[in-house]
Amino acid sequence: MNYWLFKSEPSCFSIDDLAKKPNHITPWDGVRNYQARNFMRSMEINDLGFFYHSSCAVPGIVGIIKVVKKSYPEESDPRWEHVDVQLVQKLPEIITLEKLRTIPELHNMIILRKGNRLSITPITAHEWESIHDRIRH
DNA sequence: GCCAACGTTGGC
DNA sequence: GCCAACGTTGGC
């Protein structure tokens, strides 16, 4: 079991867009970065991920998703690949980037590093739990 | 809108 | 294979 963080600009594809999809499933297509593609290739069914809203007024984690189909080539350009993901939970409240920066366990998280632009990043089980603990129940 | 950081492109 | 130029990302 691996953990990931998936970035998306909500003006392009938001957590609510995912919630409107049949079975709450979407192909995570359009990734045009080799490192991110390689991360997708290494994903397994049932891997979990955080859904992150970027380039918006309040960036942060807005949901939990899981991998439901292993990486496969895109029709338009087989050089690129993507997995299918399914919505597990929309968080009752966003965990903002500002909040994430205050969590000591996350100081090494890739997404928080200056200049990071990767749209898909692995996160550790420890990081996953630290964030998960901040979800309101 | 600004700009730092980073990836990609293409001439050499 | 180097590296300058350019395009994109994403927080602010």
Side-chain angles (χ1 to χ4, degrees), chain A residues 5-136:
Chain A
L5 187 142
F6 294 76
K7 265 196 266 192
S8 182
E9 300 185 22
S11 61
C12 180
F13 187 79
S14 72
I15 188 87
D16 291 324
D17 293 327
L18 176 55
K20 285 177 201 150
K21 290 271 194 169
N23 298 323
H24 297 172
I25 291 175
T26 188
W28 199 267
D29 53 10
V31 172
R32 293 293 180 269
N33 172 283
Y34 288 104
Q35 226 182 324
R37 183 203 64 183
N38 293 342
F39 283 137
M40 278 200 285
R41 278 181 172 169
S42 68
M43 291 180 186
E44 302 285 345
I45 305 273
N46 289 329
D47 276 4
L48 291 171
F50 287 122
F51 193 122
Y52 179 93
H53 279 172
S54 68
S55 292
C56 54
V58 185
I61 292 171
V62 292
I64 294 173
I65 57 183
K66 71 173 177 179
V67 176
V68 293
K69 184 173 179 182
K70 291 200 63 168
S71 188
Y72 57 103
E74 295 199 2
E75 279 183 28
S76 59
D77 185 350
R79 176 167 53 133
W80 300 110
E81 297 184 13
H82 59 274
V83 295
D84 285 359
V85 298
Q86 182 175 38
L87 181 63
V88 173
Q89 178 195 5
K90 180 183 170 178
L91 301 192
E93 189 175 285
I94 185 172
I95 304 175
T96 63
L97 174 61
E98 190 181 17
K99 171 76 178 174
L100 293 173
R101 290 196 191 282
T102 69
I103 302 174
E105 291 89 344
L106 303 182
H107 278 166
N108 283 325
M109 197 162 76
I110 298 171
I111 190 93
L112 300 183
R113 291 180 199 161
K114 191 175 181 183
N116 165 70
R117 291 168 29 181
L118 261 183
S119 63
I120 293 176
T121 54
I123 63 178
T124 67
H126 186 227
E127 289 165 343
W128 176 271
E129 284 156 20
S130 300
I131 296 167
H132 207 268
D133 284 348
R134 264 68 178 187
I135 298 173
R136 286 204 181 171

